[in-house]
Amino acid sequence: MDTQLKIDIGKSAKILKVLGDKTRLTMLKLIEEQTCCVCEFVEIFQMSQPSISQHVRKLRDVDLIKEERKGQWVFYSLNHNSEWYEFLLPILEQLPNQQDKIEELEKKGTRITCC
Amino acid sequence: MDTQLKIDIGKSAKILKVLGDKTRLTMLKLIEEQTCCVCEFVEIFQMSQPSISQHVRKLRDVDLIKEERKGQWVFYSLNHNSEWYEFLLPILEQLPNQQDKIEELEKKGTRITCC
DNA sequence: TGAATATATAAGTAAATTGTTATATAGTTA
DNA sequence: TAACTATATAACAATTTACTTATATATTCA
């Protein structure tokens, strides 16, 4: 008997498909350590705001991330209560740290640290 | 400093994209425990032979599986020497066992156990 | 060698994905 | 309230994906 209950291989594949994009995977690794807002992602990935929003939406649609509005910004972070959090962790663990991207924002003065 | 050397997040995303398909993910979980040939996959997944071959090719293209020809059959198994084997393992670990599919083949008498 | 079986690949198609631009919505601030 | 900033979504285009059918290649066996 498996220790995990009800983990479905089809749903797992769907989650992995969402992870299977460099932008989204990097986003997840980034917010493993701190929250980020959309405009920071735009700066980091040098992509249009709608494109970033659409990537964020895919992560949100499968419940991997949670959002928290603070003033005009929406901050995203890993959803530790997600049914898939345990599934995600060992994958993220194996990825290289992306905090240099945050440090770069701080250098440029475009890091948002509100509230 | 990370313990892992040279793991690239872009390449990781590519691997995860290959994993992000129910058929391929199930194939990997299946051959975690024993080798399978293409015609067994055709039987298991009830898909056309070219479709199966194309899925197998994607797994082979990123070096996740290895092939071994035995007579008229080509048997596939996890490539334990793959650069991505360590990355793959914790993912497969979390997936439900698929050996019931093999048992079904054995019941139907369509299991190939050559040599 | 010729027929049969197993596998791979090529070409074509439908659907899904990922970006774009335009626009809508929500909150802030003057 | 009006202008501004941040974010989301809609509509569209280009690319990629995952099948299909047709065909090529490799091996076995009569």
Side-chain angles (χ1 to χ4, degrees):
Chain A
M1 201 56 144
D2 278 312
T3 53
Q4 310 240 13
L5 297 175
K6 91 202 149 90
I7 190 172
D8 174 64
I9 204 160
K11 187 69 199 296
S12 304
K14 266 181 203 155
I15 299 294
L16 290 168
K17 175 178 278 186
V18 172
L19 302 185
D21 174 275
K22 184 179 181 181
T23 303
R24 291 193 294 266
L25 192 59
T26 307
M27 281 178 172
L28 286 175
K29 185 65 184 177
L30 268 170
I31 62 175
E32 195 186 21
E33 298 199 17
Q34 78 286 300
T35 64
C36 282
C37 67
V38 173
C39 62
E40 289 173 320
F41 285 143
V42 169
E43 179 83 9
I44 289 169
F45 294 106
Q46 293 288 304
M47 286 172 107
S48 71
Q49 176 269 313
S51 184
I52 292 294
S53 273
Q54 283 154 14
H55 280 301
V56 165
R57 190 181 212 291
K58 291 196 179 184
L59 293 170
R60 201 160 33 80
D61 280 351
V62 293
D63 206 35
L64 289 180
I65 62 177
K66 60 172 195 271
E67 66 174 51
E68 185 183 2
R69 180 174 276 276
K70 286 189 184 173
Q72 55 191 151
W73 298 285
V74 179
F75 286 87
Y76 288 96
S77 56
L78 274 196
N79 180 6
H80 291 229
N81 295 320
S82 164
E83 163 183 19
W84 295 95
Y85 181 63
E86 305 295 331
F87 183 77
L88 181 60
L89 267 192
I91 300 173
L92 290 186
E93 244 171 52
Q94 301 187 75
L95 300 179
N97 193 287
Q98 300 295 311
Q99 296 310 306
D100 53 330
K101 294 188 170 58
I102 299 294
E103 285 159 29
E104 221 178 291
L105 286 191
E106 279 162 359
K107 264 187 214 152
K108 285 197 274 184
T110 52
R111 176 85 169 128
I112 312 279
T113 45
C114 106
C115 313
Chain B
M1 200 60 141
D2 277 312
T3 54
Q4 309 241 13
L5 298 175
K6 92 201 149 96
I7 188 171
D8 173 66
I9 204 159
K11 188 70 198 295
S12 305
K14 268 181 201 152
I15 299 293
L16 290 167
K17 176 178 276 184
V18 171
L19 302 185
D21 174 276
K22 184 179 181 180
T23 303
R24 291 192 294 266
L25 193 59
T26 308
M27 281 177 172
L28 287 174
K29 185 65 184 178
L30 269 170
I31 63 176
E32 196 186 20
E33 298 199 16
Q34 79 285 300
T35 65
C36 282
C37 67
V38 172
C39 62
E40 288 174 320
F41 285 143
V42 169
E43 179 83 11
I44 288 168
F45 295 106
Q46 293 289 305
M47 285 172 108
S48 72
Q49 177 269 313
S51 185
I52 292 294
S53 273
Q54 285 154 11
H55 280 301
V56 165
R57 192 183 212 288
K58 294 199 175 183
L59 293 170
R60 202 160 32 80
D61 280 350
V62 294
D63 206 36
L64 289 179
I65 62 177
K66 60 170 194 273
E67 66 176 51
E68 185 183 2
R69 180 173 277 275
K70 285 188 183 175
Q72 54 191 153
W73 298 285
V74 179
F75 287 86
Y76 287 96
S77 56
L78 274 195
N79 179 6
H80 291 228
N81 295 319
S82 165
E83 162 183 19
W84 295 96
Y85 182 63
E86 305 296 330
F87 182 77
L88 181 60
L89 266 192
I91 300 173
L92 290 187
E93 243 170 52
Q94 301 187 75
L95 300 179
N97 194 286
Q98 301 294 311
Q99 297 310 305
D100 54 329
K101 294 188 169 60
I102 299 293
E103 285 159 28
E104 222 179 290
L105 286 191
E106 279 161 359
K107 264 186 214 152
K108 284 197 274 184
T110 52
R111 175 84 167 129
I112 312 278
T113 43
C114 104
C115 313

